[in-house]
Every structure is written in structure tokens, then in C-alpha cells.
Amino acid sequence: MRHIISIGDFDRDGINRLLDHAGQIDRKKYDAQALDGKILAVLFFEPSTRTRLSFESAIARLGGTSLTVGSVEACSIAKGETLADTIRVVSGYADAIVIRHPKEGAARLASEFSTVPVINAGDGAGQHPSQTLLDLYTIRQSMPIDGINIALIGDLRYGRTAHSLASALSLYNARLHTLCPRGLELPETLSARLEEQGMEIIAHENITDIIPEVDALYVTRVQRERFPDSASYFNVASSYRITPELLADAKKHLIVLHPLPRVDEIDPRVDEMPHAKYFEQSRNGVPVRMAMLMQVMQ
Ligand code: CP
């Protein structure tokens, strides 16, 4: 049984193999009945559009079916049932579980009580490994990942997509530039671990210093739901906005990525520029998650 809880569950060869497989799937080279008769439980205790629907699309495209719980209110956790008991029960109904939960560590806990593979679809400010795999897949469509100069911009403290991606990029000799509102820096434990692994991390204060330097901008939303109160959110919200004027200084091959949803971090006028890859990125969630499901469910 193989769980996918953290991007650290993969080594570089494992990531590359999965991305190659997703590429074959993207080229329609897959068995549409590969998971015929298999059932995926999709337990989402936080809102989602992309992750939930692309996992549901992925299992359907492979001939399987899904059982979905879209909120705490929609299941017996609302009556006081523990997550551990919920997982014990659901693993009797399905062949794998995809879980999103507001608490960091919830997916790991689920894996300890599940009798079927568990995939972490986002645990609080922890990890979001399927997002990272589709981020890497999207980068690889434009340029080699190896040696990339990439900027992480936005909420690096609570942003699980940033945490997972930074960890994965440490396997690819990436140079990491960071830009965030004060107080939303990468967690110290994570940046120390990445630097120990040899990753160069360069913190910036000015977006105009970053744009001409990098091959990719990975922009993230400041996540209102992770702040203790509205005042502390509004102190740092709307700190950065990527505009066509800012991108005038970018390298021609620069790509702009965002896990989405966006609020106001990317001007909609950027959508029409060749740099904008974030909608392709969200579409790539389907082949990448198909490859993940085949890895854990076959
Ligand atoms: N990128 C991402 O996780 O989007 P959703 O919250 O819509 O799933």
C-alpha cells in the first residue's frame, strides 16, 4: 500500500517517472478502463474547485467511480465522529481516499487509520503534493526543471503549495527567490532544511528586482482563512500584483504560475500574455492525478 502524504514521499526519479506517465496520459496513451470497478473516496473538509474536481475527473476517465464528501457538515464528523473513525469506516467503502483537511498532519493521521492508500489533497499549512506534481509538469512543458531560477511570491508561511514546491525543487538544483509580506516568510525549519540540502534561497523586498532575473514566477494568494483575525489579514493582503507593465522587464521565456484561486495577485490582463501558464497548470491536474491514482490504486 502506497500513501502520498508529502512530496518528500517521492525521490527525483519517482517524480520524473510520474511526470513521464502523466505525459503519456496527456497524449491519450492510456487504458480508459485501467481502474474499472475501483472506487475513490474524495473527502474534502475545506473548499476546493480544482483539486476535488480534477481527482473526480481523473478517476472517471480511468473507468472508476468516486464517493464525495464536500464539507464537515455533510458527514458524521458534524455529529462528533473523530477523523480516525471516519477514515476507518470510509476505507471499507473505497479503494483509495483523497483527503483535504484544515489541520496540518490530518492526512498523515488518516493514513495511520486507513486500510487503503491515502492521498493528501492539502492539510492546512502543511503540504499539497498533487499540486506540486502538476506544477512541475507545467514547468517541464516550457523548460527543464533542473537549474531553474524561480521566485515564490505571496504567502510563504501558510502556503502549502509553496512548501511542497520548494521541497521538490531542492531535488532539481533550483535557485529560489522569495518575496512575501513581512511575517509570511517560509517557515524557518523548511528554509533551514532546504539550505542544508544545498539550495540557494535569496530573499527580496522588491518585486522589480526579481522579475528580470527569473525563469518562473510562482504567485500565491494570501490565504484569509489561515489568519487568526481579519485585521491581521488586511495588514498584508494586496501586497503584490503582477501586471503587464511589471512583466515588460521579464525574460521572453518567463512563465507565470499560480495554483489558483487568485484574488488580486495577478492582473487579468496578464491572462492574454504568453507568460501566463496558470490555466494550463490547472488543466494539467487531470493527467497528473490520473497518473497518481494509477500508481496507488492499480
Ligand atoms: N490549487 C488548489 O488547490 O485549488 P483548489 O483549492 O480549488 O482545489
Side-chain angles (χ1 to χ4, degrees), residues 34 41 43 72 76 79 83 113 121 155 162 173 237 239 249 298:
L43 306 183
V72 167
S76 289
K79 301 178 206 163
L83 180 63
F113 290 91
D155 177 358
N173 307 311
S239 297
D249 289 335
Q298 267 189 322

Side-chain angles (χ1 to χ4, degrees), residues 44 47-52 100 121 128 131 160-161 221 258-261 289:
F44 272 55
S48 169
T49 298
R50 280 145 290 274
T51 314
R52 178 177 153 190
R100 171 171 290 188
H128 195 346
Q131 178 70 46
R160 58 196 175 202
T161 60
R221 175 176 67 98
H258 191 309
L260 303 179
R289 290 178 171 123

